[in-house]
Amino acid sequence: MNRRTASSPAEPRLVRYWNTRNAVALALFPLSLVYCALMRLRRMVYGWLPARRVPARAVIVVGNLTVGGTGKTPMVIWLCRLLAMHGYRPGVVSRGHGGRRDHARALLVTPESDPAHVGDEPVLIAARTGCPVVVDRRRPRGARLLVTELGCDVVVADDGLQHYALARDVEIVMIDGARRFGNGLCLPAGPLRESADRLGDADFVVATGRAAPGEFPMELVAPVAIKVADPSEAQPLKSFAGKAVHGVAGIGNPERFFTMLEAARIRVDRHAFPDHHPYRAGDIRFPDSLPVLMTEKDAVKCRAIADDRHWFVPVAAAPDEALAPAILSTLQAVSSLHSLR
């Protein structure tokens, strides 16, 4: 089974051309040059202007260079837990992609927040970390709220690599180890938001799956499935082995989710949706009694329309064991530097 019931009206058609330098990519190459030049100019302008600094011990940016899923959200969750374990008080600021764009002020996100209003990833991060999470179109404003009103001493900027208005101390760039940078071209001819040489400025480069020299490898582990309608009910993912299921994924890289399920010997009828898709009941209710496995990010939007067939599969970041002490050491150095100012 390999049926797809939904697709983005534009993105998947382009994604198919982003892995090679084919005729479509070459036709879009002039636009790619313009886009890349504009991004370089934008970064230069922000380099001339004073970025807004918040009174935190450190601001850590987690982002990527490419369009699509690279494991940013699991990394943010892992990072917040790491920081909390070592005595820091982390908070997360996010743009709130997938939520409404009419926010005139910073909004505090809770596990009960409406994903249609604040975005699906912030709700997921709030639920998984217990840390303060704020969404704001103006990241410096949201970061300041975390520090001055919510008691955070480290700000984690989710998907903030290209948002230079907020001064940052540490950059963590995520890479899909399998897809890497596709054909190496910038949008719209390729998947790059910025040219790949931007990696040279990052403090840490983390690759999900295969890692190149100088990168930290990270695996995504998913040992259990949890019932969407009743999160107190869970079972090992391996209990679905050998069974047919509907797989639902509305994330940046749905193939990774489906491949993960198939690696657990689950027979998957694939249903890929655009990233941040606003689900309706008809999207996840199928005319049979097969179980439905979805991502955790999708589940936060499906709580009101799920029944006993629907399960989500939370993934956790498992980075190379050398990454944690390296981040903590860098953070200590940054904190010491700030204390001298």
Side-chain angles (χ1 to χ4, degrees), residues 102-281:
D102 57 358
H103 305 320
R105 57 186 175 84
L107 296 177
L108 179 65
V109 179
T110 72
E112 290 74 36
S113 294
D114 183 357
H117 189 50
V118 300
D120 42 27
E121 289 165 355
V123 174
L124 171 57
I125 293 169
R128 288 281 293 273
T129 66
C131 296
V133 178
V134 165
V135 296
D136 197 342
R137 289 179 299 183
R138 301 178 183 177
R139 289 174 188 262
R141 181 176 60 184
R144 182 168 292 276
L145 174 66
L146 287 170
V147 177
T148 60
E149 297 188 29
L150 299 176
C152 299
D153 60 4
V154 176
V155 173
V156 178
D158 176 36
D159 196 17
L161 190 63
Q162 287 79 32
H163 295 270
Y164 296 108
L166 176 62
R168 73 278 308 272
D169 302 291
V170 181
E171 290 184 339
I172 301 174
V173 177
M174 305 299 299
I175 294 176
D176 184 319
R179 297 192 297 180
R180 302 296 296 180
F181 306 118
N183 58 18
L185 301 177
C186 285
L187 293 166
L192 287 171
R193 298 174 173 180
E194 297 183 81
S195 61
D197 59 11
R198 173 71 172 81
L199 283 182
D201 296 327
D203 297 280
F204 301 96
V205 180
V206 181
T208 54
R210 297 192 301 271
E215 300 172 357
F216 291 89
M218 183 181 85
E219 299 297 328
L220 296 174
V221 296
V224 300
I226 300 173
K227 186 165 287 188
V228 177
D230 181 10
S232 66
E233 186 173 343
Q235 59 180 282
L237 185 63
K238 63 182 180 182
S239 66
F240 292 91
K243 298 180 181 179
V245 306
H246 293 284
V248 171
I251 57 177
N253 183 6
E255 287 299 311
R256 177 188 290 148
F257 179 69
F258 300 140
T259 301
M260 179 189 72
L261 297 182
E262 290 169 344
R265 297 189 299 110
I266 301 171
R267 293 185 288 123
V268 183
D269 189 355
R270 302 180 176 199
H271 305 272
F273 291 85
D275 199 10
H276 308 294
H277 179 68
Y279 285 96
R280 298 179 179 179

